[in-house]
């Protein structure tokens, strides 16, 4: 049996939206509980109450023990959203059709690589909360003065929303003026790596997220999904407790 919880948490746990977006849905009057308009902070009983968004009843609340977890190698040119007003392809066009599935973080349209999806919206919220300091590793294919850029990055770079100080930076030449710029950060601000590279005067040809916390991309093909390994599943449980 699912315990009573705040309405925004219930929406997140059901994979409808992140906790913050859930609050926006409630504030906009788009959420009802037993046919009355929900209020932010309202306590609900998901096993008994009828909770709906825009008139559509939400799915069952997934418990951590029975949640579905998937790893997607997100291709470029795919939106990380449930639907796109411009009709562009989204991640939900390429992952298995799973009720209440939501994404962990939101890589931009062109960024590739590791994207976690789960039916446990509460765990998704914890994984993306800044206090967790989950490491993300990226490999950017870039042009420019990469050695100087790497030295500057290791000292920290001021962006408009604060300093970015990577926990690891490495560079590898690819030839013909291209380099691999390997960066590990422990936060997930919007377009952070692209903005960092821009501040370092680097031109980004490609950006791949190769690791999110304990989950690595490995040999997973672009557009393919897989289950968590037992080791990854244990690590995720430990992080999201």
């Amino acid at each position: 049996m699912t315990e009573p919880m705040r309405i925004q948490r219930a929406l997140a746990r059901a994979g409808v939206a992140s906790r913050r977006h859930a609050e926006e849905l409630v504030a906009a009057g788009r959420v009802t509980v037993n046919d009355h308009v929900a209020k932010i902070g309202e306590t609900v009983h998901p096993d008994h109450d009828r909770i709906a968004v825009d008139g559509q009843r939400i799915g069952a609340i997934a418990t951590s023990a029975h949640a579905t977890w998937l790893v997607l190698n997100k291709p470029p040119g795919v939106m990380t959203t449930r639907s796109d007003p411009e009709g562009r392809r989204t991640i939900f066009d390429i992952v298995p059709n799973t009720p209440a599935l939501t994404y962990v973080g939101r890589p931009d349209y062109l960024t590739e690589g590791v994207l976690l999806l789960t039916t446990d919206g509460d765990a998704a919220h914890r994984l993306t909360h800044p206090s967790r300091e989950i490491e993300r590793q990226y490999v950017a294919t870039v042009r420019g003065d990469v050695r100087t850029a790497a030295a500057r990055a290791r000292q920290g770079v001021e962006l408009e929303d604060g300093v970015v100080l990577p926990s690891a930076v490495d560079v590898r030449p690819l030839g013909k003026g291209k380099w691999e710029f390997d960066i590990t950060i422990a936060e997930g601000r919007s377009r952070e790596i692209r903005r960092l590279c821009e501040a370092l005067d680097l031109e980004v040809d490609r950006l791949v997220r190769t690791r999110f916390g304990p989950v690595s991309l490995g040999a997973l093909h672009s557009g393919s999904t897989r289950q968590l390994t037992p080791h990854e599943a244990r690590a995720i449980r430990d992080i999201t407790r």
Side-chain angles (χ1 to χ4, degrees):
M1 181 176 291
T2 307
E3 74 278 7
M5 62 186 69
R6 299 289 178 88
I7 181 63
Q8 54 266 36
R9 184 183 178 203
L11 294 174
R13 285 282 298 274
V16 172
S18 68
R19 192 82 67 90
R20 180 179 297 177
H21 186 210
E23 290 182 357
E24 294 172 357
L25 291 174
V26 175
R30 296 171 58 186
V31 181
T32 57
V33 179
N34 300 327
D35 299 323
H36 72 265
V37 177
K39 297 179 180 179
I40 293 176
E42 178 177 347
T43 298
V44 297
H45 294 72
D47 290 338
H48 308 295
D49 291 331
R50 186 187 187 281
I51 304 169
V53 178
D54 295 333
Q56 183 173 354
R57 190 167 185 174
I58 69 173
I61 304 294
T63 64
S64 297
H66 299 97
T68 296
W69 287 88
L70 294 175
V71 186
L72 169 68
N73 183 349
K74 178 192 172 295
V78 174
M79 297 293 293
T80 308
T81 187
R82 188 161 291 280
S83 62
D84 180 62
E86 298 181 26
R88 291 170 292 186
R89 192 164 64 139
T90 79
I91 57 170
F92 291 99
D93 293 323
I94 57 178
V95 300
N97 186 11
T98 306
L101 195 66
T102 191
Y103 41 86
V104 180
R106 196 170 188 174
D108 65 41
Y109 184 61
L110 293 177
T111 298
E112 309 169 45
V114 173
L115 177 61
L116 290 178
L117 298 105
T118 181
T119 55
D120 188 344
D122 217 25
H125 173 75
R126 291 192 186 102
L127 283 171
T128 54
H129 197 279
S131 65
R132 301 283 170 162
E133 297 186 339
I134 306 297
E135 283 194 341
R136 290 102 155 143
Q137 185 175 2
Y138 294 83
V139 176
T141 302
V142 299
R143 299 174 184 271
D145 186 352
V146 178
R147 295 195 186 280
T148 298
R152 288 176 58 193
R154 293 184 184 107
Q155 298 302 311
V157 177
E158 181 78 38
L159 301 181
E160 61 271 20
D161 53 355
V163 175
V164 177
L165 181 60
S167 55
V169 177
D170 195 15
V171 298
R172 294 177 292 274
L174 295 174
K176 298 183 178 180
K178 291 186 178 182
W179 294 75
E180 280 190 345
F181 193 35
D182 194 325
I183 313 162
T184 302
I185 58 173
E187 53 193 75
R189 287 180 267 172
S190 176
R191 301 184 73 256
E192 187 169 12
I193 300 301
R194 292 189 186 276
R195 292 188 292 123
L196 173 63
C197 288
E198 183 179 357
L200 295 170
D201 298 317
L202 297 177
E203 179 185 345
V204 178
D205 287 347
R206 185 184 184 196
L207 182 60
V208 182
R209 183 160 69 184
T210 56
R211 182 170 63 87
F212 184 96
V215 180
S216 295
L217 186 59
L220 187 64
H221 295 297
S222 180
S224 297
T225 59
R226 66 170 175 83
Q227 303 288 329
L228 294 180
T229 67
H231 172 76
E232 291 168 341
R234 286 193 297 272
I236 291 292
R237 283 197 298 270
D238 288 344
I239 292 170
T240 56
R241 281 177 181 169

